[in-house]
Amino acid sequence: EDKVVQSPLSLVVHEGDTVTLNCSYEVTNFRSLLWYKQEKKAPTFLFMLTSSGIEKKSGRLSSILDKKELFSILNITATQTGDSAIYLCAVVVTGTASKLTFGTGTRLQVTL
Amino acid sequence: GAVVSQHPSRVICKSGTSVKIECRSLDFQATTMFWYRQFPKKSLMLMATSNEGSKATYEQGVEKDKFLINHASLTLSTLTVTSAHPEDSSFYICSAQGTSGSVYEQYFGPGTRLTVT
């Protein structure tokens, strides 16, 4: 059975801190790993990672994949209160028509 | 990005009744739609995959007679929770995937909160 685990489950930091969120997976026929941010409602897409070692960056957020060790990290630098959300990672395996298997999620709270 | 809507956003119903939730892709055609449920403080759990014009594929443990899915057009899929019980109370989210089939083109709806009393 495909498995995606995120850590930590929840995290409280002060504004300005840097955080690293982890996502490890055990799946058959890995294709891609995606990161989403969920505030109150719909998850919004952040990154898709397919190849090891290539960092994806968007503003203060960055992410990288290690296909040998089967994990990905999402970094957020200089956190702001607007970064407070649940961060979800999801894995797509080949031959499943882009079916997403989600991890447990990390709830991030950024305080002033 | 593309827009996916869900209706209703929130519904309260009595135990034993059926509830229909609609998922629409507003500005693109979606050959595939996915239905998820999310319990409080938990992640999204895929319930079923629906392809336009064919029967939905349900995940293990999801009762297809209880959660009826219809994907009659390229812009609309419906999930009907039949004979709802309090344990069906949850947040239901759909996602719609564009005709390219790329996972980049998978957009989520805002969700429907179902409360069964």
Side-chain angles (χ1 to χ4, degrees):
Chain A
E1 188 185 326
D2 295 338
K3 200 170 157 186
V4 182
V5 177
Q6 292 182 245
S7 63
L9 288 180
S10 67
L11 190 56
V12 180
V13 300
H14 293 295
E15 208 173 37
D17 288 350
T18 292
V19 297
T20 298
L21 310 183
N22 303 289
C23 174
S24 64
Y25 60 91
E26 285 178 39
V27 301
T28 309
N29 299 321
F30 173 88
R31 190 167 103 199
S32 306
L33 184 145
L34 294 90
W35 283 96
Y36 290 87
K37 177 182 181 183
Q38 185 181 25
E39 295 178 80
K40 293 204 173 154
K41 294 186 175 178
T44 52
F45 173 81
L46 296 174
F47 298 112
M48 182 164 99
L49 303 150
T50 305
S51 303
S52 268
I54 300 172
E55 187 184 51
K56 295 269 179 109
K57 228 174 141 54
S58 175
R60 295 176 294 103
L61 276 67
S62 64
S63 184
I64 198 159
L65 174 68
D66 185 330
K67 287 166 75 172
K68 188 178 170 192
E69 300 297 329
L70 308 182
F71 77 93
S72 173
I73 58 171
L74 175 69
N75 275 322
I76 310 175
T77 58
T79 52
Q80 301 170 357
T81 54
D83 295 326
S84 298
I86 298 173
Y87 290 84
L88 298 163
C89 80
V91 169
V92 182
V93 299
T94 57
T96 60
S98 300
K99 187 175 85 169
L100 296 168
T101 300
F102 279 90
T104 42
T106 294
R107 183 179 291 272
L108 172 66
Q109 187 180 349
V110 182
T111 62
L112 291 170
Chain B
V3 179
V4 176
S5 71
Q6 277 185 246
H7 178 79
S9 57
R10 189 179 287 266
V11 58
I12 300 172
C13 71
K14 289 189 177 174
S15 196
T17 61
S18 295
V19 173
K20 183 188 278 190
I21 301 169
E22 290 185 351
C23 176
R24 288 182 189 273
S25 55
L26 297 185
D27 51 0
F28 68 103
Q29 293 187 323
T31 47
T32 306
M33 288 187 173
F34 301 90
W35 285 95
Y36 298 84
R37 69 187 294 183
Q38 186 176 33
F39 291 105
K41 298 187 181 179
K42 299 283 185 187
S43 192
L44 278 74
M45 186 191 80
L46 180 67
M47 298 173 66
T49 303
S50 82
N51 291 296
E52 185 261 338
S54 61
K55 287 185 181 177
T57 304
Y58 289 81
E59 294 300 301
Q60 198 172 7
V62 178
E63 296 174 61
K64 60 183 177 186
D65 294 330
K66 180 161 184 67
F67 298 100
L68 299 178
I69 290 171
N70 185 282
H71 191 160
S73 78
L74 284 171
T75 58
L76 173 65
S77 176
T78 59
L79 167 69
T80 301
V81 183
T82 61
S83 187
H85 290 287
E87 57 265 30
D88 298 324
S89 299
S90 192
F91 192 55
Y92 292 87
I93 301 182
C94 71
S95 70
Q97 184 168 279
T99 51
S100 76
S102 165
V103 70
Y104 272 120
E105 271 203 307
Q106 193 174 139
Y107 302 99
F108 286 85
T112 295
R113 185 162 301 284
L114 169 64
T115 304
V116 184
T117 60

CSV table of all heavy atoms in Angstrom, one decimal, chain A residues 30-81:
chain,number,residue,atom,x,y,z
A,30,PHE,N,6.9,5.4,-8.4
A,30,PHE,CA,6.8,6.8,-8.2
A,30,PHE,C,6.9,7.6,-9.5
A,30,PHE,O,7.8,7.3,-10.4
A,30,PHE,CB,8.0,7.2,-7.3
A,30,PHE,CG,8.1,8.7,-7.1
A,30,PHE,CD1,7.4,9.3,-6.1
A,30,PHE,CD2,9.0,9.4,-7.9
A,30,PHE,CE1,7.6,10.7,-5.9
A,30,PHE,CE2,9.1,10.8,-7.7
A,30,PHE,CZ,8.4,11.4,-6.7
A,31,ARG,N,6.1,8.6,-9.6
A,31,ARG,CA,6.2,9.5,-10.8
A,31,ARG,C,6.6,10.9,-10.4
A,31,ARG,O,7.5,11.5,-10.9
A,31,ARG,CB,4.9,9.5,-11.5
A,31,ARG,CG,5.0,10.2,-12.9
A,31,ARG,CD,3.8,9.9,-13.7
A,31,ARG,NE,2.8,11.0,-13.8
A,31,ARG,CZ,1.6,10.8,-14.1
A,31,ARG,NH1,1.1,9.7,-14.4
A,31,ARG,NH2,0.8,11.9,-14.2
A,32,SER,N,5.8,11.5,-9.4
A,32,SER,CA,6.0,12.9,-9.0
A,32,SER,C,5.6,13.1,-7.6
A,32,SER,O,4.8,12.3,-7.1
A,32,SER,CB,5.2,13.9,-9.9
A,32,SER,OG,5.4,13.7,-11.2
A,33,LEU,N,6.1,14.2,-7.0
A,33,LEU,CA,5.7,14.6,-5.7
A,33,LEU,C,5.2,16.0,-5.7
A,33,LEU,O,5.9,16.8,-6.4
A,33,LEU,CB,6.8,14.4,-4.7
A,33,LEU,CG,6.5,14.7,-3.2
A,33,LEU,CD1,7.3,13.7,-2.3
A,33,LEU,CD2,6.8,16.1,-2.8
A,34,LEU,N,4.1,16.3,-5.1
A,34,LEU,CA,3.6,17.7,-5.2
A,34,LEU,C,3.4,18.2,-3.8
A,34,LEU,O,3.1,17.5,-2.8
A,34,LEU,CB,2.2,17.7,-5.9
A,34,LEU,CG,2.3,17.3,-7.4
A,34,LEU,CD1,2.1,15.8,-7.6
A,34,LEU,CD2,1.2,18.1,-8.1
A,35,TRP,N,3.6,19.5,-3.7
A,35,TRP,CA,3.3,20.2,-2.4
A,35,TRP,C,2.1,21.2,-2.6
A,35,TRP,O,2.1,21.9,-3.6
A,35,TRP,CB,4.5,21.0,-2.0
A,35,TRP,CG,5.6,20.2,-1.4
A,35,TRP,CD1,6.7,19.7,-2.0
A,35,TRP,CD2,5.7,19.8,0.0
A,35,TRP,NE1,7.5,19.1,-1.1
A,35,TRP,CE2,6.9,19.1,0.1
A,35,TRP,CE3,4.9,20.0,1.2
A,35,TRP,CZ2,7.4,18.5,1.4
A,35,TRP,CZ3,5.4,19.5,2.4
A,35,TRP,CH2,6.5,18.7,2.5
A,36,TYR,N,1.2,21.2,-1.6
A,36,TYR,CA,0.1,22.1,-1.6
A,36,TYR,C,0.0,22.9,-0.3
A,36,TYR,O,0.5,22.4,0.7
A,36,TYR,CB,-1.2,21.3,-1.8
A,36,TYR,CG,-1.4,20.7,-3.1
A,36,TYR,CD1,-0.9,19.4,-3.4
A,36,TYR,CD2,-2.2,21.3,-4.1
A,36,TYR,CE1,-1.1,18.8,-4.6
A,36,TYR,CE2,-2.4,20.7,-5.4
A,36,TYR,CZ,-1.9,19.5,-5.6
A,36,TYR,OH,-2.1,18.9,-6.8
A,37,LYS,N,-0.6,24.0,-0.4
A,37,LYS,CA,-0.9,24.8,0.8
A,37,LYS,C,-2.4,24.9,1.0
A,37,LYS,O,-3.1,25.2,0.0
A,37,LYS,CB,-0.3,26.2,0.6
A,37,LYS,CG,-0.6,27.2,1.8
A,37,LYS,CD,-0.1,28.5,1.5
A,37,LYS,CE,-0.3,29.5,2.7
A,37,LYS,NZ,0.1,30.9,2.4
A,38,GLN,N,-2.9,24.5,2.1
A,38,GLN,CA,-4.3,24.6,2.4
A,38,GLN,C,-4.6,25.5,3.5
A,38,GLN,O,-4.2,25.3,4.7
A,38,GLN,CB,-4.9,23.2,2.7
A,38,GLN,CG,-6.4,23.2,2.8
A,38,GLN,CD,-7.0,21.8,3.1
A,38,GLN,OE1,-6.3,21.0,3.7
A,38,GLN,NE2,-8.2,21.6,2.8
A,39,GLU,N,-5.3,26.6,3.2
A,39,GLU,CA,-5.6,27.6,4.3
A,39,GLU,C,-7.0,27.2,4.8
A,39,GLU,O,-7.1,26.3,5.6
A,39,GLU,CB,-5.5,29.0,3.7
A,39,GLU,CG,-4.1,29.3,3.4
A,39,GLU,CD,-3.8,30.7,2.8
A,39,GLU,OE1,-3.7,31.6,3.6
A,39,GLU,OE2,-3.7,30.8,1.6
A,40,LYS,N,-8.0,27.8,4.3
A,40,LYS,CA,-9.3,27.4,4.9
A,40,LYS,C,-10.0,26.3,4.0
A,40,LYS,O,-10.8,25.5,4.5
A,40,LYS,CB,-10.2,28.6,5.1
A,40,LYS,CG,-9.6,29.4,6.2
A,40,LYS,CD,-10.6,30.3,6.9
A,40,LYS,CE,-9.9,31.0,8.1
A,40,LYS,NZ,-10.6,32.3,8.4
A,41,LYS,N,-9.8,26.4,2.8
A,41,LYS,CA,-10.6,25.6,1.9
A,41,LYS,C,-9.8,24.7,0.9
A,41,LYS,O,-9.2,23.8,1.3
A,41,LYS,CB,-11.6,26.5,1.2
A,41,LYS,CG,-12.7,27.1,2.1
A,41,LYS,CD,-13.7,27.8,1.4
A,41,LYS,CE,-14.8,28.3,2.4
A,41,LYS,NZ,-15.8,29.1,1.8
A,42,ALA,N,-9.8,25.1,-0.3
A,42,ALA,CA,-9.1,24.3,-1.3
A,42,ALA,C,-7.6,24.4,-1.2
A,42,ALA,O,-7.0,25.4,-1.0
A,42,ALA,CB,-9.6,24.8,-2.7
A,43,PRO,N,-7.0,23.2,-1.4
A,43,PRO,CA,-5.5,23.2,-1.4
A,43,PRO,C,-5.1,24.0,-2.7
A,43,PRO,O,-5.7,23.8,-3.8
A,43,PRO,CB,-5.1,21.7,-1.6
A,43,PRO,CG,-6.3,21.0,-1.1
A,43,PRO,CD,-7.5,21.9,-1.4
A,44,THR,N,-4.0,24.8,-2.6
A,44,THR,CA,-3.5,25.4,-3.7
A,44,THR,C,-2.1,24.9,-4.0
A,44,THR,O,-1.3,24.6,-3.1
A,44,THR,CB,-3.4,27.0,-3.5
A,44,THR,OG1,-2.7,27.2,-2.3
A,44,THR,CG2,-4.7,27.6,-3.4
A,45,PHE,N,-1.8,24.7,-5.3
A,45,PHE,CA,-0.6,24.1,-5.8
A,45,PHE,C,0.6,25.0,-5.5
A,45,PHE,O,0.6,26.2,-5.7
A,45,PHE,CB,-0.7,23.8,-7.3
A,45,PHE,CG,0.5,23.3,-7.9
A,45,PHE,CD1,0.8,22.0,-7.9
A,45,PHE,CD2,1.3,24.2,-8.6
A,45,PHE,CE1,2.0,21.6,-8.5
A,45,PHE,CE2,2.4,23.8,-9.3
A,45,PHE,CZ,2.8,22.4,-9.2
A,46,LEU,N,1.7,24.3,-5.0
A,46,LEU,CA,3.0,25.0,-4.8
A,46,LEU,C,4.0,24.6,-5.7
A,46,LEU,O,4.5,25.3,-6.5
A,46,LEU,CB,3.5,24.8,-3.3
A,46,LEU,CG,2.6,25.4,-2.2
A,46,LEU,CD1,3.1,25.0,-0.9
A,46,LEU,CD2,2.5,26.9,-2.3
A,47,PHE,N,4.4,23.3,-5.6
A,47,PHE,CA,5.5,22.7,-6.5
A,47,PHE,C,5.1,21.3,-6.9
A,47,PHE,O,4.4,20.6,-6.2
A,47,PHE,CB,6.8,22.6,-5.7
A,47,PHE,CG,7.3,23.9,-5.1
A,47,PHE,CD1,7.3,24.2,-3.8
A,47,PHE,CD2,7.8,24.9,-6.0
A,47,PHE,CE1,7.8,25.4,-3.3
A,47,PHE,CE2,8.3,26.1,-5.5
A,47,PHE,CZ,8.3,26.3,-4.1
A,48,MET,N,5.7,21.0,-8.1
A,48,MET,CA,5.8,19.6,-8.5
A,48,MET,C,7.2,19.2,-8.7
A,48,MET,O,7.9,19.9,-9.4
A,48,MET,CB,5.0,19.3,-9.7
A,48,MET,CG,5.0,17.9,-10.1
A,48,MET,SD,3.7,17.5,-11.3
A,48,MET,CE,4.6,17.5,-12.8
A,49,LEU,N,7.6,18.1,-8.1
A,49,LEU,CA,9.0,17.6,-8.2
A,49,LEU,C,9.0,16.2,-8.8
A,49,LEU,O,8.3,15.3,-8.4
A,49,LEU,CB,9.6,17.6,-6.8
A,49,LEU,CG,9.6,18.9,-6.0
A,49,LEU,CD1,9.5,18.6,-4.6
A,49,LEU,CD2,10.8,19.7,-6.4
A,50,THR,N,9.9,16.1,-9.8
A,50,THR,CA,10.0,14.8,-10.5
A,50,THR,C,11.4,14.2,-10.4
A,50,THR,O,11.6,13.0,-10.4
A,50,THR,CB,9.5,14.9,-11.9
A,50,THR,OG1,8.2,15.5,-11.9
A,50,THR,CG2,9.5,13.6,-12.6
A,51,SER,N,12.4,15.1,-10.4
A,51,SER,CA,13.8,14.7,-10.5
A,51,SER,C,14.5,15.0,-9.2
A,51,SER,O,14.2,16.0,-8.5
A,51,SER,CB,14.5,15.4,-11.6
A,51,SER,OG,13.9,15.2,-12.8
A,52,SER,N,15.4,14.2,-8.8
A,52,SER,CA,16.2,14.4,-7.6
A,52,SER,C,17.1,15.6,-7.7
A,52,SER,O,17.7,15.8,-8.8
A,52,SER,CB,17.1,13.1,-7.3
A,52,SER,OG,16.4,12.2,-6.5
A,53,GLY,N,17.3,16.3,-6.6
A,53,GLY,CA,18.4,17.2,-6.5
A,53,GLY,C,18.2,18.6,-7.2
A,53,GLY,O,19.0,19.5,-7.1
A,54,ILE,N,17.0,18.7,-7.8
A,54,ILE,CA,16.8,20.0,-8.5
A,54,ILE,C,15.8,20.8,-7.6
A,54,ILE,O,14.7,20.4,-7.4
A,54,ILE,CB,16.1,19.8,-9.9
A,54,ILE,CG1,17.1,19.0,-10.8
A,54,ILE,CG2,15.8,21.1,-10.6
A,54,ILE,CD1,16.5,18.6,-12.1
A,55,GLU,N,16.3,22.0,-7.1
A,55,GLU,CA,15.5,22.8,-6.2
A,55,GLU,C,14.5,23.6,-7.0
A,55,GLU,O,14.9,24.2,-8.0
A,55,GLU,CB,16.4,23.7,-5.4
A,55,GLU,CG,15.7,24.4,-4.3
A,55,GLU,CD,16.5,25.4,-3.6
A,55,GLU,OE1,17.2,26.3,-4.2
A,55,GLU,OE2,16.5,25.4,-2.3
A,56,LYS,N,13.3,23.6,-6.5
A,56,LYS,CA,12.3,24.5,-7.1
A,56,LYS,C,12.1,25.6,-6.1
A,56,LYS,O,12.1,25.4,-4.9
A,56,LYS,CB,10.9,23.7,-7.3
A,56,LYS,CG,11.0,22.6,-8.3
A,56,LYS,CD,10.6,23.1,-9.6
A,56,LYS,CE,10.6,21.9,-10.6
A,56,LYS,NZ,9.3,21.5,-11.1
A,57,LYS,N,12.0,26.8,-6.7
A,57,LYS,CA,11.9,28.0,-5.8
A,57,LYS,C,10.8,28.9,-6.2
A,57,LYS,O,10.5,29.1,-7.4
A,57,LYS,CB,13.2,28.7,-5.9
A,57,LYS,CG,13.8,29.1,-4.6
A,57,LYS,CD,15.2,29.7,-4.8
A,57,LYS,CE,15.5,30.9,-3.8
A,57,LYS,NZ,15.3,30.6,-2.4
A,58,SER,N,10.1,29.5,-5.2
A,58,SER,CA,9.1,30.5,-5.5
A,58,SER,C,9.1,31.4,-4.4
A,58,SER,O,8.5,31.1,-3.3
A,58,SER,CB,7.7,29.8,-5.7
A,58,SER,OG,6.7,30.8,-5.9
A,59,GLY,N,9.7,32.6,-4.5
A,59,GLY,CA,9.8,33.6,-3.5
A,59,GLY,C,10.5,33.0,-2.3
A,59,GLY,O,11.6,32.5,-2.4
A,60,ARG,N,9.8,33.0,-1.1
A,60,ARG,CA,10.5,32.5,0.1
A,60,ARG,C,10.3,31.0,0.3
A,60,ARG,O,10.8,30.4,1.2
A,60,ARG,CB,9.8,33.2,1.3
A,60,ARG,CG,10.1,34.7,1.3
A,60,ARG,CD,9.3,35.4,2.5
A,60,ARG,NE,7.9,35.3,2.3
A,60,ARG,CZ,7.1,34.5,3.0
A,60,ARG,NH1,7.6,33.6,3.9
A,60,ARG,NH2,5.8,34.5,2.8
A,61,LEU,N,9.7,30.3,-0.6
A,61,LEU,CA,9.5,28.9,-0.6
A,61,LEU,C,10.4,28.2,-1.5
A,61,LEU,O,10.6,28.6,-2.6
A,61,LEU,CB,8.0,28.5,-0.9
A,61,LEU,CG,7.0,28.6,0.2
A,61,LEU,CD1,6.7,30.1,0.6
A,61,LEU,CD2,5.7,28.0,-0.3
A,62,SER,N,10.9,27.1,-1.1
A,62,SER,CA,11.7,26.2,-2.0
A,62,SER,C,11.5,24.8,-1.6
A,62,SER,O,11.1,24.5,-0.4
A,62,SER,CB,13.2,26.6,-1.9
A,62,SER,OG,13.7,26.3,-0.6
A,63,SER,N,11.8,23.9,-2.5
A,63,SER,CA,11.5,22.5,-2.3
A,63,SER,C,12.5,21.6,-3.1
A,63,SER,O,13.0,22.1,-4.2
A,63,SER,CB,10.1,22.1,-2.6
A,63,SER,OG,9.9,20.7,-2.3
A,64,ILE,N,12.9,20.5,-2.5
A,64,ILE,CA,13.8,19.6,-3.2
A,64,ILE,C,13.4,18.2,-3.0
A,64,ILE,O,12.7,17.9,-2.0
A,64,ILE,CB,15.2,19.9,-2.8
A,64,ILE,CG1,16.2,19.3,-3.8
A,64,ILE,CG2,15.5,19.4,-1.4
A,64,ILE,CD1,17.6,20.0,-3.7
A,65,LEU,N,13.7,17.3,-3.9
A,65,LEU,CA,13.3,15.9,-3.8
A,65,LEU,C,14.6,15.0,-3.8
A,65,LEU,O,15.6,15.3,-4.5
A,65,LEU,CB,12.5,15.5,-5.0
A,65,LEU,CG,12.1,14.1,-5.3
A,65,LEU,CD1,11.1,13.6,-4.2
A,65,LEU,CD2,11.5,13.9,-6.7
A,66,ASP,N,14.6,14.0,-3.0
A,66,ASP,CA,15.6,13.0,-3.0
A,66,ASP,C,15.0,11.6,-3.2
A,66,ASP,O,14.4,11.0,-2.4
A,66,ASP,CB,16.3,13.0,-1.6
A,66,ASP,CG,17.5,12.1,-1.5
A,66,ASP,OD1,17.5,11.0,-2.2
A,66,ASP,OD2,18.5,12.4,-0.8
A,67,LYS,N,15.1,11.1,-4.5
A,67,LYS,CA,14.5,9.9,-4.9
A,67,LYS,C,15.2,8.7,-4.4
A,67,LYS,O,14.7,7.6,-4.3
A,67,LYS,CB,14.3,9.8,-6.4
A,67,LYS,CG,13.3,10.8,-6.9
A,67,LYS,CD,13.4,11.0,-8.4
A,67,LYS,CE,12.9,9.8,-9.2
A,67,LYS,NZ,12.8,10.1,-10.6
A,68,LYS,N,16.5,8.8,-3.9
A,68,LYS,CA,17.2,7.7,-3.4
A,68,LYS,C,16.7,7.4,-2.0
A,68,LYS,O,16.5,6.3,-1.6
A,68,LYS,CB,18.7,8.0,-3.4
A,68,LYS,CG,19.6,6.8,-3.0
A,68,LYS,CD,21.0,7.2,-3.1
A,68,LYS,CE,21.9,6.1,-2.5
A,68,LYS,NZ,23.3,6.5,-2.3
A,69,GLU,N,16.6,8.5,-1.2
A,69,GLU,CA,16.2,8.4,0.2
A,69,GLU,C,14.7,8.5,0.4
A,69,GLU,O,14.2,8.4,1.5
A,69,GLU,CB,16.9,9.4,1.1
A,69,GLU,CG,18.4,9.3,1.1
A,69,GLU,CD,18.9,8.0,1.7
A,69,GLU,OE1,18.2,7.5,2.6
A,69,GLU,OE2,19.9,7.5,1.2
A,70,LEU,N,14.0,8.7,-0.7
A,70,LEU,CA,12.5,8.8,-0.8
A,70,LEU,C,11.9,9.8,0.2
A,70,LEU,O,11.0,9.6,1.0
A,70,LEU,CB,11.9,7.4,-0.4
A,70,LEU,CG,12.5,6.2,-1.2
A,70,LEU,CD1,11.7,4.9,-0.7
A,70,LEU,CD2,12.3,6.4,-2.7
A,71,PHE,N,12.4,11.1,0.0
A,71,PHE,CA,11.8,12.2,0.7
A,71,PHE,C,11.9,13.5,0.0
A,71,PHE,O,12.7,13.6,-0.9
A,71,PHE,CB,12.4,12.3,2.2
A,71,PHE,CG,13.7,12.9,2.2
A,71,PHE,CD1,13.8,14.3,2.5
A,71,PHE,CD2,14.9,12.2,2.1
A,71,PHE,CE1,15.1,14.9,2.5
A,71,PHE,CE2,16.1,12.8,2.1
A,71,PHE,CZ,16.2,14.1,2.3
A,72,SER,N,11.1,14.4,0.5
A,72,SER,CA,11.2,15.8,0.0
A,72,SER,C,11.1,16.7,1.2
A,72,SER,O,10.6,16.4,2.2
A,72,SER,CB,10.0,16.1,-1.0
A,72,SER,OG,10.0,17.4,-1.4
A,73,ILE,N,11.7,17.9,1.0
A,73,ILE,CA,11.5,18.9,2.0
A,73,ILE,C,11.0,20.2,1.4
A,73,ILE,O,11.2,20.5,0.2
A,73,ILE,CB,12.9,19.3,2.8
A,73,ILE,CG1,13.9,19.7,1.8
A,73,ILE,CG2,13.3,18.1,3.6
A,73,ILE,CD1,15.2,20.3,2.5
A,74,LEU,N,10.2,20.9,2.2
A,74,LEU,CA,9.7,22.2,1.8
A,74,LEU,C,10.3,23.2,2.8
A,74,LEU,O,10.1,23.1,4.0
A,74,LEU,CB,8.2,22.2,1.8
A,74,LEU,CG,7.5,23.6,1.6
A,74,LEU,CD1,7.7,24.0,0.1
A,74,LEU,CD2,6.0,23.5,1.9
A,75,ASN,N,11.0,24.2,2.3
A,75,ASN,CA,11.6,25.2,3.2
A,75,ASN,C,10.8,26.5,3.0
A,75,ASN,O,10.5,26.9,1.9
A,75,ASN,CB,13.0,25.5,2.8
A,75,ASN,CG,14.0,24.6,3.4
A,75,ASN,OD1,13.8,24.2,4.6
A,75,ASN,ND2,15.0,24.2,2.7
A,76,ILE,N,10.6,27.2,4.1
A,76,ILE,CA,10.0,28.5,4.1
A,76,ILE,C,10.9,29.4,4.9
A,76,ILE,O,11.1,29.2,6.1
A,76,ILE,CB,8.6,28.6,4.7
A,76,ILE,CG1,7.7,27.5,4.0
A,76,ILE,CG2,7.9,30.0,4.4
A,76,ILE,CD1,6.3,27.4,4.7
A,77,THR,N,11.5,30.5,4.2
A,77,THR,CA,12.3,31.4,4.9
A,77,THR,C,11.6,32.6,5.3
A,77,THR,O,10.5,33.0,4.7
A,77,THR,CB,13.6,31.8,4.1
A,77,THR,OG1,13.1,32.4,2.9
A,77,THR,CG2,14.4,30.6,3.7
A,78,ALA,N,12.1,33.3,6.3
A,78,ALA,CA,11.5,34.6,6.8
A,78,ALA,C,9.9,34.5,6.8
A,78,ALA,O,9.2,35.2,6.2
A,78,ALA,CB,11.9,35.7,5.8
A,79,THR,N,9.5,33.5,7.6
A,79,THR,CA,8.0,33.2,7.7
A,79,THR,C,7.2,34.5,8.1
A,79,THR,O,7.7,35.4,8.8
A,79,THR,CB,7.7,32.1,8.7
A,79,THR,OG1,8.3,32.4,9.9
A,79,THR,CG2,8.2,30.8,8.1
A,80,GLN,N,6.0,34.5,7.5
A,80,GLN,CA,5.0,35.6,7.8
A,80,GLN,C,3.8,34.9,8.3
A,80,GLN,O,3.5,33.7,8.1
A,80,GLN,CB,4.7,36.4,6.6
A,80,GLN,CG,6.0,37.0,6.0
A,80,GLN,CD,5.7,37.6,4.6
A,80,GLN,OE1,4.6,37.5,4.0
A,80,GLN,NE2,6.7,38.2,4.0
A,81,THR,N,2.9,35.7,9.0
A,81,THR,CA,1.7,35.1,9.5
A,81,THR,C,0.8,34.5,8.4
A,81,THR,O,0.1,33.6,8.6
A,81,THR,CB,0.9,36.2,10.3
A,81,THR,OG1,0.6,37.3,9.5
A,81,THR,CG2,1.6,36.6,11.6
